[in-house]
């Protein structure tokens, strides 16, 4: 089973899987857009916020509510 880029929906993945995507961004199968979606979904769920911040990934990908 293959996952095409247009079928990626970060909201369907668990936080642990999203974290794996974010921390293994060297993986050629992930597009920059998919990586951004994964980061935004984690931020929305408020998971791994400290780690994302330390990694410098929270810059402009989150919106303050």
């Amino acid at each position: 089973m293959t996952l095409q880029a247009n079928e990626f929906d970060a909201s369907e993945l668990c936080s642990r899987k999203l974290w794996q995507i974010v921390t293994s961004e060297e993986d050629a199968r992930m597009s920059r857009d998919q990586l951004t979606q994964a980061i935004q979904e984690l931020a929305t769920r408020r998971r791994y916020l400290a780690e994302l911040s330390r990694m410098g990934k929270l810059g402009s990908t989150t919106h303050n509510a």
Side-chain angles (χ1 to χ4, degrees):
M1 182 171 149
T2 60
L3 181 65
Q4 294 180 357
N6 61 353
E7 294 179 15
F8 183 81
D9 186 357
S11 66
E12 293 181 355
L13 300 175
C14 68
S15 295
R16 183 178 299 243
K17 181 62 179 173
L18 291 170
W19 181 246
Q20 289 173 344
I21 290 169
V22 170
T23 57
S24 64
E25 69 179 274
E26 303 300 323
D27 189 345
R29 293 176 290 169
M30 297 305 300
S31 72
R32 177 63 51 192
D33 184 52
Q34 291 170 333
L35 178 61
T36 300
Q37 286 179 46
I39 293 168
Q40 288 176 337
E41 183 64 26
L42 283 172
T44 299
R45 294 179 189 182
R46 305 190 61 77
R47 300 283 187 209
Y48 300 105
L49 289 176
E51 293 88 344
L52 288 169
S53 181
R54 273 195 301 270
M55 293 169 69
K57 301 223 182 244
L58 285 180
S60 62
T61 62
T62 60
H63 303 286
N64 293 331

